[in-house]
Amino acid sequence: MSLPVFITPDPARGELDEAEGRHAVTVKRIAVGERIMLVDGAGTAAEVTVTEIRGKDLLRGEVLELTQVPKPTPRVTVVQAIPKADRAELAVDLAVQGGADAIVPWISQRTIARWPADKQAKQVAKWQAVAREAAKQSRRAWVPQVAEPVTTNQLRERVVGKQALVLHEDAKRSITDIEFADEVFVIVGPEGGIGPEELESLGAEAVKLGPEVLRTASAGLAALCAIGAVTGRW
């Protein structure tokens, strides 16, 4: 059974405090003698045996093993058209579970949910918090970073010269037929789909996942699973 994961800036110290320590001690009720995994979100992981619990938020332990988990290859950035509020957190959670290395919120032409300029930072922070918790739940040593939202024009500039795949139900080519580069952008459209003009303007290749049409919240996960199965990520 995999060990519970907690995030700390320096796993080698074998210590948790403040909010993450409170979560381990008070919420998860980790006890002396249990083993846990501490990660920094950037690939460093420490297996720790808990030796001391103090108060409600301090945990110390003996580091049994310190490892550096390599970055997955290819690196996959999920560009997610911003869903409605009730589906946005699900989309991020599933993408992180699937192994996304980075997430870029996208304001597409058919995106219904809009982030006012004065609330963008708050929304990005909310997505980052979801990504952090999903990474812990899926036992990841790497926590994907959530970028600032981009428009279609900004997205085109970001992916120019790089491998970019748009998930599209009318595509002729399957994602399993792709020869992947070391870095790939997977672009997930909104519930209303991507219009032909916007698709052309992105300069990305359209690919399909299968005969079914997936919801925007689950399409990124399905693509990541397909990429994992046909590359060395899995």
Side-chain angles (χ1 to χ4, degrees), residues 179-218:
E179 183 175 343
F180 290 96
D182 290 338
E183 180 179 16
V184 57
F185 286 78
V186 173
I187 302 172
V188 182
E191 292 288 2
I194 302 173
E197 292 183 0
E198 187 171 31
L199 177 61
E200 183 177 357
S201 72
L202 285 173
E205 180 176 2
V207 296
K208 62 181 179 180
L209 293 174
E212 292 80 16
V213 177
L214 299 177
R215 301 292 297 272
T216 188
S218 58

Side-chain angles (χ1 to χ4, degrees), residues 155-169:
L155 177 58
R156 181 178 63 248
E157 294 174 0
R158 179 168 296 197
V159 302
V160 65
K162 300 177 181 178
Q163 186 175 45
L165 307 175
V166 177
L167 306 182
H168 200 286
E169 61 183 292

Side-chain angles (χ1 to χ4, degrees), residues 104-118:
V104 178
W106 173 33
I107 307 170
S108 71
Q109 292 178 2
R110 294 183 179 178
T111 293
I112 297 175
R114 298 283 170 167
W115 292 351
D118 61 342

Side-chain angles (χ1 to χ4, degrees), residues 69 71 74 91 96 131 134 137 178 193 223:
V69 180
K71 294 181 179 180
V96 176
Q137 290 296 322
I178 299 296

